[in-house]
Amino acid sequence: MKTVQTIEEFKEITGTGKTLAVFSADWCPDCVFIKPFLPELEQEFNEFTFVYVDRDQLIELCQELDIFGIPSFVAFQDGKEIGRYVDKDRKTKEQISSFINNLPVHANE
């Protein structure tokens, strides 16, 4: 999973194709909890480009996208947001898989 370094890089990556942005931080216990199974999700949903956004490094981007809780998952297709998974509870692999499977992009395939 590529770590995005700048807002410009984020917009470039999410501008084409299907992208799943994972907003996270190293100090966040729920973010650390999901880290071990993110590679499995990346492999399972390989039609998406997965990118990691460190909330503390790109706080302006998080403000722009109204990302208030982490970890947060925001899906894009050709620059347009098609779904987000944000809540205060710890997320399981199954919950994240369900979110991705229910994105509108899958309805067209």
Side-chain angles (χ1 to χ4, degrees), residues 32-69:
V32 172
F33 175 78
I34 66 168
K35 218 173 207 174
F37 57 77
L38 284 176
E40 295 170 36
L41 290 169
E42 200 171 358
Q43 203 169 23
E44 183 179 343
F45 298 100
N46 61 11
E47 70 271 24
F48 284 88
T49 299
F50 280 64
V51 294
Y52 178 87
V53 180
D54 186 310
R55 177 208 165 273
D56 295 336
Q57 297 298 318
L58 292 175
I59 192 74
E60 298 86 7
L61 176 64
C62 293
Q63 291 170 336
E64 184 180 318
L65 295 174
D66 294 326
I67 304 294
F68 298 112

Side-chain angles (χ1 to χ4, degrees), residues 2 4 6-17 19 79:
K2 178 174 180 41
V4 176
T6 65
I7 293 173
E8 295 75 23
E9 183 183 21
F10 178 84
K11 290 183 177 182
E12 184 179 318
I13 292 170
T14 59
T16 55
T19 310

Side-chain angles (χ1 to χ4, degrees), residues 79-93:
K80 181 175 180 264
E81 183 178 321
I82 58 171
R84 65 171 56 203
Y85 183 29
V86 182
D87 67 28
K88 62 181 177 39
D89 298 324
R90 177 171 278 183
K91 295 156 185 71
T92 65
K93 180 182 176 191

